[in-house]
Amino acid sequence: MAEAAAIVGLVASIASLVNLSTKVVSRLRDFTSKSSDVPESFKSLSRRLPLLTAILENIQSQAEAGRLPENVTNDLAAVVDDTVEQISAVQKYLHKVLPSDSDSKFGRALKAVKSVAKNDKLQQALEKIYKNIGFLTLHQTTRHVDTGDRILEGVSKLNIKPPTSFNSFGVCLGQAPQVPADAFIGRKKELQQLRDWLSPKSQPNGQRIVSIVGLGGLGKTQLSLAHTRDCGDDYSSVFWLNAKDETSLRQSMVELANVIFSDSISPTAPSADNEKLKIDKVKRWLSETKNDQWLLIFDNYDDPKLPGIESSTGYNIRTYFPDRAQGSILITTRSPLLPFAKKLQLEKIKDIEQSLAILAVRSGREVDGELIKRQFKDDSARRLALRLDGLPLALATAGAFLSQSPGSFDEYLESYNNNWSDLGEHSRGPVDYQERALFSTWNVSFKVVQAQDPEAAELLRLMAYLDNQDLWYELFHKDVDDAPAWWTEVTKSRARFDRAISTLHSYSLLEINAGQCSMHMCEHDWTLEYLNHQLDQERFRIAVHCVAANVKWDNENEYWVNHRRMLPHARRFQNPRVKRVVDWNGIEPRELFHFGWLYEQNVMYGEGEEMYMRALRGYEKQELEIEALNTANELGVLYADQGKLAEAEEMYMRALRGYEKQGLEHTFDTISNLGNLYTRQDKLAEAEDMYMRALRGYEKQGFEHTLNTVNNLGNLYRRQSKLTEAEEMYMRALRGYEKQGLEHTSMLNTVNNLGLLYADQGKLAKAEKMFMRALRGYEKQGLEHTLDTVHNLGSLYYELGKTNPNKFAMAEEMYVRALRGYEKTWGLEHTSTLDTVNGLGKLYEKLGKLTEAEKMYTRALRGSEKAVGNNHPKTQLYSRDLKRIQEKLQDCEGRDSSPEEENLSCPELDRNV
């Protein structure tokens, strides 16, 4: 029997260890109850220490009963003392890193993850603790079978694997990027999916193969390494292999052989044979019976060569899989075409707070321990995060740059927008992305595409000049004069175009959804700055032609839908980067005119004027007089829309003199436009003279425009309060349209205008009837004028609400419907959108909702200032409305008021069309 001193020493050590373990478990459980972001090392420790306590209690009972030999007592005491030392080290470490109750939830997780990742001593202590638990468990198992059975049952639940004939090598990442644990943020859903698909616990039978697929820079490698941290204990061994090309993979397999096998293969064999022997030996080891709990990570397999996938530079990764279908295999790749793997499609980070967190952690701009919280409130950081559009590599690159620079987030954003190439040249990038930096990561895939399908590569270059969204076949399928051979080839048929798109998609350079293609914003930046670093005038000319040739005129079906689709592509040419490199010389005037028309119709007046002026000079240079006069007429329309009435009159008169000199029918269109202009200038007599002159000309020549001018005369008489004459003109136009037997857009416009007239006359029931008739017709044809009539109905119900307050709810419903439609069809800052916003402001003011009214008036004013300038009559009207509501709000402070009783004028019941 052991001596008393040895027994007392062992019992004292056990008591100390039990007390210490209880405290650590309590601390860990308190931590885990407050945060789900707990490192696996801490979770495992909190599960295993209660088992240790149970074992120690059994050993203590045996020692006190004198059933342990002295040498065993001393050996156990040594193990217990060592465990006390290791757990004490853990306790001290936990005291440093586990946060106080005052820290934020994110801060708790961040501190813990940082500490686990960076402290090797902690990991060593944990390994010794688990080894000692195993020793004590084995001692109790062999000494007391009944107790051992119960302990082994507990061991199985805690994932302490029984010994096997195969060595466990743990997590062997070799030359994998070193990703700090705190630098990996988010992706919880994806991590859970990998656990479900790969872990032997979740999928115990058969071989498990998963591919992480996505654009370069989305963090595929980082996600795979995060999985090893999250689920490393689930595998007997984890091995990382560099699969970027076959040479790199074979070298990784050789290095893996050196790790697994202590006996080396004879160095006397030729190197190629030696390499093959080692690779085959690794494959055999991975195929051994019961050796099925490992995980292989094949990283950056971006150039596959498989049945049905041709590649002159790629290889077949399956030749490196073990012969027996077992174990877990994880592949990171840009190719979505691996048929043997479950595909986890990685997308950009959509949560702006996660993007901000990456920026904050990577830049290291921590302030009083409130790093993330502060960055969330930083508008400049938010602007940068939005611009980088959730691409982890772009966010990490920005953070890495800022960590070494005193510059601000806004300064980095300015450099990114204006000096992309220079920024790339001097930006080191995050080390964990290795050589695949933001400014070069897509070069690898592009070179492969160039080798496989040169026409597809050229098509990608061309896309730099278009928007990065909504790219479809018909956009490109246009005849181009003197087209290069690659363009003729790639657009000759839908099948050939689709093959090029498929090639680009195969390397995640394009996304495909519902027949449309798109690319990430940062990749789009790369296509311009890298693939088109030097302007290619031919590609630019083709892109301009693709946009111009697709623009519809306002007499074509659903032209506004076409405009909303084409406008982002036209706007691309106004991007500062594009404007810096493009050259409009040599672009056909007719295409410039199309751009001017598109910009004008979408309230981009400055851009529209620039294109019209370029077109005008081009037509004059080519001595195309009629086209030049048409352009001058459209410039007049554009100036009139902006409220630049003097400039509009000058253009109209220039066009008119030219038409009259040529004896052209276009004369009457310009005369009618002059009538519209004089109406806006309140030169109503001159306006009437122009309309009557145009009307006589149209009637003489039998043009359909006759009825349009009659309608315009009705608008003029309504403005002059000659309501009887106005009604006569409207009815004349309406009868003419009805006689033609067509529910034409122009006829519906006249019906709408009759509704306005009846509203002016106080015949509100008749007005509603006209508006409803127009609305049904517009809806039937799917026309955008539907929204004008819905707006007018809102204004009508506003008027009816003055005597029947229940109508105010109907007014709000109509205004909101019109507003949503305008925002979707024309955009947030179109003049029609802003009119309806202002109408809602007047409705809310009438209802006494002054705060809501102020918001609407402010939005209308700011939008109008941007769209048409400070001097436009609309802008001045909105300014007066805002000033009035602000004065009311000031008057309401400190006293009761009843603003709803004020008799406000009807909000913009004036949508003549």
Side-chain angles (χ1 to χ4, degrees), residues 629-659:
L629 295 175
N630 292 342
T631 305
N633 181 71
E634 283 304 323
L635 269 167
V637 174
L638 180 143
Y639 288 138
D641 288 343
Q642 289 180 280
K644 298 179 179 180
L645 303 187
E647 292 91 333
E649 185 173 12
E650 179 184 350
M651 285 294 146
Y652 284 147
M653 293 305 297
R654 175 179 174 179
L656 180 58
R657 287 191 294 269
Y659 288 141

Short mmCIF file of all heavy atoms in Angstrom, two decimals, residues 629-659:
data_model
loop_
_atom_site.label_atom_id
_atom_site.label_comp_id
_atom_site.label_asym_id
_atom_site.label_seq_id
_atom_site.Cartn_x
_atom_site.Cartn_y
_atom_site.Cartn_z
N LEU A 629 -31.15 70.08 -88.75
CA LEU A 629 -32.33 70.83 -88.32
C LEU A 629 -33.14 70.04 -87.30
O LEU A 629 -33.66 70.60 -86.33
CB LEU A 629 -33.19 71.18 -89.55
CG LEU A 629 -32.55 72.13 -90.57
CD1 LEU A 629 -33.44 72.28 -91.79
CD2 LEU A 629 -32.27 73.49 -89.94
N ASN A 630 -33.26 68.74 -87.52
CA ASN A 630 -33.96 67.90 -86.54
C ASN A 630 -33.27 67.96 -85.17
O ASN A 630 -33.92 68.00 -84.12
CB ASN A 630 -34.01 66.45 -87.02
CG ASN A 630 -34.88 66.27 -88.25
OD1 ASN A 630 -35.72 67.12 -88.57
ND2 ASN A 630 -34.69 65.17 -88.96
N THR A 631 -31.94 67.96 -85.20
CA THR A 631 -31.18 68.02 -83.95
C THR A 631 -31.40 69.36 -83.26
O THR A 631 -31.55 69.43 -82.03
CB THR A 631 -29.69 67.79 -84.22
OG1 THR A 631 -29.52 66.56 -84.92
CG2 THR A 631 -28.90 67.74 -82.92
N ALA A 632 -31.40 70.45 -84.05
CA ALA A 632 -31.66 71.77 -83.47
C ALA A 632 -33.05 71.82 -82.83
O ALA A 632 -33.24 72.39 -81.75
CB ALA A 632 -31.53 72.84 -84.55
N ASN A 633 -34.04 71.20 -83.49
CA ASN A 633 -35.39 71.15 -82.93
C ASN A 633 -35.40 70.41 -81.59
O ASN A 633 -36.02 70.86 -80.61
CB ASN A 633 -36.33 70.46 -83.92
CG ASN A 633 -37.75 70.40 -83.41
OD1 ASN A 633 -38.45 71.41 -83.33
ND2 ASN A 633 -38.21 69.20 -83.05
N GLU A 634 -34.68 69.27 -81.52
CA GLU A 634 -34.64 68.51 -80.26
C GLU A 634 -33.88 69.27 -79.17
O GLU A 634 -34.21 69.18 -77.99
CB GLU A 634 -34.01 67.14 -80.48
CG GLU A 634 -34.93 66.13 -81.14
CD GLU A 634 -36.23 65.93 -80.38
OE1 GLU A 634 -36.21 65.94 -79.13
OE2 GLU A 634 -37.27 65.77 -81.03
N LEU A 635 -32.86 70.02 -79.56
CA LEU A 635 -32.18 70.88 -78.59
C LEU A 635 -33.14 71.91 -78.02
O LEU A 635 -33.10 72.23 -76.83
CB LEU A 635 -30.98 71.57 -79.23
CG LEU A 635 -29.64 70.84 -79.15
CD1 LEU A 635 -28.62 71.48 -80.09
CD2 LEU A 635 -29.11 70.84 -77.72
N GLY A 636 -34.04 72.40 -78.88
CA GLY A 636 -35.06 73.34 -78.39
C GLY A 636 -35.95 72.69 -77.36
O GLY A 636 -36.27 73.29 -76.32
N VAL A 637 -36.37 71.44 -77.62
CA VAL A 637 -37.20 70.71 -76.65
C VAL A 637 -36.45 70.54 -75.33
O VAL A 637 -37.00 70.73 -74.24
CB VAL A 637 -37.61 69.33 -77.22
CG1 VAL A 637 -38.36 68.51 -76.17
CG2 VAL A 637 -38.47 69.51 -78.46
N LEU A 638 -35.16 70.17 -75.42
CA LEU A 638 -34.36 69.95 -74.22
C LEU A 638 -34.23 71.23 -73.40
O LEU A 638 -34.38 71.23 -72.17
CB LEU A 638 -32.97 69.43 -74.62
CG LEU A 638 -31.99 69.13 -73.49
CD1 LEU A 638 -31.16 67.89 -73.83
CD2 LEU A 638 -31.05 70.29 -73.25
N TYR A 639 -33.95 72.36 -74.09
CA TYR A 639 -33.84 73.63 -73.36
C TYR A 639 -35.16 74.03 -72.73
O TYR A 639 -35.21 74.55 -71.61
CB TYR A 639 -33.34 74.73 -74.30
CG TYR A 639 -31.90 74.61 -74.70
CD1 TYR A 639 -31.49 74.84 -76.02
CD2 TYR A 639 -30.92 74.25 -73.77
CE1 TYR A 639 -30.16 74.72 -76.39
CE2 TYR A 639 -29.58 74.14 -74.14
CZ TYR A 639 -29.21 74.37 -75.45
OH TYR A 639 -27.89 74.27 -75.81
N ALA A 640 -36.27 73.77 -73.43
CA ALA A 640 -37.59 74.10 -72.88
C ALA A 640 -37.87 73.27 -71.63
O ALA A 640 -38.39 73.79 -70.63
CB ALA A 640 -38.66 73.86 -73.93
N ASP A 641 -37.49 71.99 -71.66
CA ASP A 641 -37.69 71.14 -70.48
C ASP A 641 -36.90 71.64 -69.29
O ASP A 641 -37.31 71.45 -68.14
CB ASP A 641 -37.26 69.69 -70.80
CG ASP A 641 -38.23 68.99 -71.73
OD1 ASP A 641 -39.37 69.46 -71.86
OD2 ASP A 641 -37.85 67.96 -72.32
N GLN A 642 -35.77 72.27 -69.53
CA GLN A 642 -34.94 72.80 -68.45
C GLN A 642 -35.39 74.18 -67.99
O GLN A 642 -34.83 74.70 -67.03
CB GLN A 642 -33.47 72.90 -68.91
CG GLN A 642 -32.76 71.58 -69.08
CD GLN A 642 -31.33 71.77 -69.55
OE1 GLN A 642 -31.07 71.98 -70.72
NE2 GLN A 642 -30.41 71.71 -68.61
N GLY A 643 -36.34 74.76 -68.69
CA GLY A 643 -36.76 76.12 -68.35
C GLY A 643 -35.87 77.17 -68.97
O GLY A 643 -35.99 78.36 -68.66
N LYS A 644 -34.95 76.77 -69.88
CA LYS A 644 -34.10 77.72 -70.59
C LYS A 644 -34.84 78.15 -71.85
O LYS A 644 -34.54 77.73 -72.97
CB LYS A 644 -32.76 77.07 -70.94
CG LYS A 644 -31.94 76.64 -69.74
CD LYS A 644 -30.64 75.96 -70.17
CE LYS A 644 -29.78 75.55 -68.99
NZ LYS A 644 -28.52 74.89 -69.41
N LEU A 645 -35.82 79.02 -71.65
CA LEU A 645 -36.77 79.29 -72.71
C LEU A 645 -36.17 80.14 -73.83
O LEU A 645 -36.55 79.98 -75.00
CB LEU A 645 -38.01 79.96 -72.12
CG LEU A 645 -38.70 79.15 -71.00
CD1 LEU A 645 -40.01 79.81 -70.59
CD2 LEU A 645 -38.94 77.71 -71.43
N ALA A 646 -35.24 81.05 -73.50
CA ALA A 646 -34.61 81.86 -74.54
C ALA A 646 -33.78 80.98 -75.47
O ALA A 646 -33.84 81.12 -76.70
CB ALA A 646 -33.74 82.95 -73.90
N GLU A 647 -33.00 80.07 -74.87
CA GLU A 647 -32.20 79.16 -75.68
C GLU A 647 -33.09 78.25 -76.51
O GLU A 647 -32.78 77.92 -77.67
CB GLU A 647 -31.28 78.31 -74.80
CG GLU A 647 -30.18 79.09 -74.10
CD GLU A 647 -30.60 79.60 -72.73
OE1 GLU A 647 -31.82 79.82 -72.53
OE2 GLU A 647 -29.72 79.78 -71.86
N ALA A 648 -34.22 77.83 -75.92
CA ALA A 648 -35.15 76.97 -76.65
C ALA A 648 -35.71 77.71 -77.87
O ALA A 648 -35.76 77.15 -78.99
CB ALA A 648 -36.29 76.54 -75.73
N GLU A 649 -36.09 78.96 -77.68
CA GLU A 649 -36.65 79.73 -78.79
C GLU A 649 -35.62 79.90 -79.90
O GLU A 649 -35.95 79.78 -81.09
CB GLU A 649 -37.12 81.10 -78.30
CG GLU A 649 -37.83 81.91 -79.37
CD GLU A 649 -38.45 83.19 -78.84
OE1 GLU A 649 -38.15 83.57 -77.68
OE2 GLU A 649 -39.24 83.81 -79.58
N GLU A 650 -34.37 80.15 -79.53
CA GLU A 650 -33.31 80.31 -80.53
C GLU A 650 -33.18 79.05 -81.38
O GLU A 650 -33.05 79.12 -82.61
CB GLU A 650 -31.99 80.63 -79.83
CG GLU A 650 -30.81 80.78 -80.79
CD GLU A 650 -29.49 80.99 -80.07
OE1 GLU A 650 -29.50 81.20 -78.84
OE2 GLU A 650 -28.43 80.94 -80.74
N MET A 651 -33.20 77.87 -80.73
CA MET A 651 -33.07 76.61 -81.47
C MET A 651 -34.29 76.36 -82.36
O MET A 651 -34.16 75.92 -83.51
CB MET A 651 -32.85 75.45 -80.51
CG MET A 651 -31.46 75.40 -79.94
SD MET A 651 -30.24 75.03 -81.22
CE MET A 651 -28.84 75.98 -80.63
N TYR A 652 -35.49 76.63 -81.82
CA TYR A 652 -36.70 76.43 -82.61
C TYR A 652 -36.69 77.33 -83.85
O TYR A 652 -37.03 76.89 -84.97
CB TYR A 652 -37.94 76.72 -81.78
CG TYR A 652 -38.30 75.65 -80.77
CD1 TYR A 652 -38.88 76.01 -79.55
CD2 TYR A 652 -38.08 74.31 -81.02
CE1 TYR A 652 -39.24 75.05 -78.61
CE2 TYR A 652 -38.43 73.34 -80.10
CZ TYR A 652 -39.00 73.72 -78.89
OH TYR A 652 -39.36 72.76 -77.96
N MET A 653 -36.30 78.58 -83.66
CA MET A 653 -36.30 79.51 -84.80
C MET A 653 -35.25 79.11 -85.83
O MET A 653 -35.48 79.22 -87.04
CB MET A 653 -36.03 80.93 -84.31
CG MET A 653 -37.16 81.50 -83.45
SD MET A 653 -38.79 81.45 -84.26
CE MET A 653 -38.51 82.53 -85.68
N ARG A 654 -34.12 78.61 -85.35
CA ARG A 654 -33.09 78.14 -86.28
C ARG A 654 -33.62 76.97 -87.10
O ARG A 654 -33.45 76.92 -88.33
CB ARG A 654 -31.85 77.71 -85.49
CG ARG A 654 -30.77 77.08 -86.35
CD ARG A 654 -29.55 76.69 -85.52
NE ARG A 654 -28.57 75.97 -86.31
CZ ARG A 654 -27.40 75.53 -85.85
NH1 ARG A 654 -27.08 75.76 -84.58
NH2 ARG A 654 -26.56 74.87 -86.64
N ALA A 655 -34.28 76.03 -86.42
CA ALA A 655 -34.85 74.87 -87.14
C ALA A 655 -35.95 75.32 -88.09
O ALA A 655 -36.02 74.86 -89.24
CB ALA A 655 -35.38 73.85 -86.13
N LEU A 656 -36.80 76.26 -87.63
CA LEU A 656 -37.92 76.71 -88.45
C LEU A 656 -37.44 77.37 -89.73
O LEU A 656 -37.95 77.08 -90.83
CB LEU A 656 -38.79 77.66 -87.63
CG LEU A 656 -40.03 78.22 -88.35
CD1 LEU A 656 -40.93 77.10 -88.84
CD2 LEU A 656 -40.79 79.18 -87.44
N ARG A 657 -36.46 78.26 -89.61
CA ARG A 657 -35.94 78.94 -90.80
C ARG A 657 -35.36 77.91 -91.79
O ARG A 657 -35.55 78.02 -93.01
CB ARG A 657 -34.88 79.97 -90.40
CG ARG A 657 -35.46 81.22 -89.73
CD ARG A 657 -34.39 82.30 -89.61
NE ARG A 657 -33.31 81.91 -88.71
CZ ARG A 657 -33.28 82.16 -87.41
NH1 ARG A 657 -34.30 82.81 -86.85
NH2 ARG A 657 -32.26 81.78 -86.68
N GLY A 658 -34.65 76.91 -91.25
CA GLY A 658 -34.08 75.89 -92.12
C GLY A 658 -35.14 75.06 -92.82
O GLY A 658 -35.04 74.78 -94.02
N TYR A 659 -36.19 74.65 -92.07
CA TYR A 659 -37.26 73.86 -92.67
C TYR A 659 -37.99 74.66 -93.76
O TYR A 659 -38.31 74.14 -94.84
CB TYR A 659 -38.27 73.44 -91.60
CG TYR A 659 -37.77 72.37 -90.64
CD1 TYR A 659 -38.10 72.44 -89.28
CD2 TYR A 659 -37.01 71.29 -91.08
CE1 TYR A 659 -37.67 71.46 -88.39
CE2 TYR A 659 -36.57 70.32 -90.20
CZ TYR A 659 -36.91 70.41 -88.85
OH TYR A 659 -36.48 69.45 -87.97
#
